[in-house]
Amino acid sequence: MRILESKFVQGFIKMADDGYKQGWHERNGGNLSYRLKKEEVEAIRSRLNAPGEWLPVGTSVPELAGEFFLVTGTGKYFRNIIVDPEACIAIIEVDDAGEKYRIRWGLVEGGLPTSELPTHLMNHEVKKRVTNGLHRVIYHAHTTNTIALTFVLPLEDEVFTRELWEMATECPIVFPNGIGVIGWMVPGGREIAVETSRLMEKYDVAVWAHHGMFCSGPDFDLTFGLMHTVEKSAEILIKVLSMSPQKLQTITAGNFRDLAKDFRITLPERFLYEK
Ligand code: 2HA
Ligand code: ZN
């Protein structure tokens, strides 16, 4: 099968375009990565390019040794992915030590994988371990409303989780484990990758203050849906705060406990603090 026609490549392209249409990917903003299944690698192996040179990942991901990833390219625009995917995205292979990678397909006009490759791969490494291999997608976007909130809410996991849960009844069902937040850091390197992957031990959502959001999930629909739900909730919160600094009524801690019981989910009590 031609690589471009594979289901996982088509799903990746659609998700990138969905994100662009949401307005989350100005210029070259955002990045996306997908960890290929063994059978997907075998189905395309004969069509991969001859291995090129090994390049440093910029961090160490030993639990991803030998894995293949589909990733967006650094400097590439999400709005162009649907038009010319082979120029904008790449399949990379990680070496046996988890220290280096090489490009095996794509980026036909040259270029390198996303500048956030250390964060993507460190997140994948954590999620592969804590979900027993279930999670395969890591998505970073410049989600307008969530970014705006990082200027007015305390940068605390408990506050972001509780405030966003309150804005839509589905939220605690979609992200029952909550949301992690980190203060402003220089993007693109190992340090922010370490901090983000630490949050990914507990959460599927990590907010980078004044920058954007990372989401993790098992497939394209669930990961996009998670980002979309969090961002929509942030939009509602901004509308509410724009009308009035105080809510007249809301979903209470007691309501959340009732919801948890009926929907058979566990909502950690640390998010249900008294206000
Ligand atoms: O430009 O979003 O965080 C890509 C990015 C870097
Ligand atoms: Zn970014």
Side-chain angles (χ1 to χ4, degrees), residues 77-91:
Y77 289 26
F78 266 57
R79 64 183 278 262
N80 291 334
I81 290 177
I82 199 158
V83 180
D84 195 358
E86 286 169 288
C88 297
I89 65 180
I91 292 174

Side-chain angles (χ1 to χ4, degrees), residues 16 19-31 75-80 139-144 147 210-212:
Y20 171 66
K21 287 177 182 147
Q22 289 295 325
W24 301 339
H25 298 287
E26 76 291 343
R27 205 171 179 275
N28 62 321
N31 22 79
K76 305 296 182 188
Y77 289 26
F78 266 57
R79 64 183 278 262
N80 291 334
Y139 182 32
H140 169 58
H142 295 175
T143 41
T144 317
I147 295 169
H210 324 323
H211 184 146

Side-chain angles (χ1 to χ4, degrees), residues 14 20 56 114 161 165 203 223:
K14 178 176 186 295
Y20 171 66
T114 166
T161 300
W165 277 2
Y203 307 116
T223 313

Side-chain angles (χ1 to χ4, degrees), residues 8 25 51 66 75 87 99 102 105 125 135 139 143 159 171 174 251 268:
F8 72 92
H25 298 287
E99 304 273 349
R102 58 189 179 187
W105 177 84
E125 188 179 47
H135 279 206
Y139 182 32
T143 41
V159 175
C171 285
V174 176
I251 307 171

